[in-house]
Amino acid sequence: MGTRLIAQGLEIATDDPAFWNLSRPETVCETHRLDIAAGADVLVTNTFGANRAWLSRFDRGEESVEINRRAVSMARAEAGPGRFVLGSIGPAAADSAGSYRDQAKILIDAGVDGLLLETHTAARAVVGLAEIGRGPIPLLVGLFRLESLAEWSSLVESGADVVGWNCISPSSCRTFAEAARGLIDRPLLAKPSGADPNGRSNSPRSFAMAVPGLLRLGVRLIGGCCGSTEAHVAAMRSALDTNRELW
Ligand SMILES: [Zn+2]
């Protein structure tokens, strides 16, 4: 969501994607709408940095409650019946004790179907899971690097219901899922980036081509991270539909 709002004019140096839940709600809704039209089953809320500690950099920490609530209500409205809403929690929450717990509570009270701790290291995710605790909804963790078997185990012991990777290339998702095969007793998640930090782009076609291999390796939640668009969603939807025997 952040990169898509930047493409719509968000100035990341002076603004934060989360503020657009208040200042540009129609743009956030339209982005969700494009993903649903492209065939998404799940929307992720525009709340990656919407914890009090991160928003305090702009002296707007007190607005975190309203920002998270609005984000959930917009995603829920655009998802419509029969689809799911995951609450996004970024790693900046780890910078302040209680931030994970506070943001998770707001998102859960607002009605998300699950929480997605994304772009995390295993160590940070363990901190987050401990603060959030085992609650009424599933907890999903997206890592941006491979991590070790011991670290995956600590995530599962800490309450992760789904473990996987986000913000890396489709081919790295595949390599990591291969390494994890049979070692994590949980469904896997893959949410690759449409563009690498070095500027190399990963096309919708490369997303679609990765889908069958990911499904064979136990990946059951598939999406797009930074730099991906509704074109990537549509490509994955099509690949999923033509590989139904794999899931
Ligand atoms: Zn990303």
Side-chain angles (χ1 to χ4, degrees), residues 120-127 141 143 145 147 151-152 154-155:
H120 273 65
T121 62
R124 282 203 163 199
V126 165
V127 170
V141 174
L143 306 168
R145 60 188 192 195
E147 306 279 7
E151 285 160 327
W152 295 330
S154 71
L155 287 173

Side-chain angles (χ1 to χ4, degrees), residues 145-146 152 163-165 168-184 188-190 210 213-220:
R145 60 188 192 195
L146 181 58
W152 295 330
V163 178
W165 299 273
I168 59 174
S169 70
S171 62
S172 292
C173 281
R174 166 113 202 221
T175 304
F176 293 178
E178 181 100 55
R181 176 154 61 166
L183 300 178
I184 304 178
L188 298 178
L189 165 137
L214 291 170
L215 290 171
R216 286 193 188 93
L217 292 168
V219 173
R220 288 295 177 270

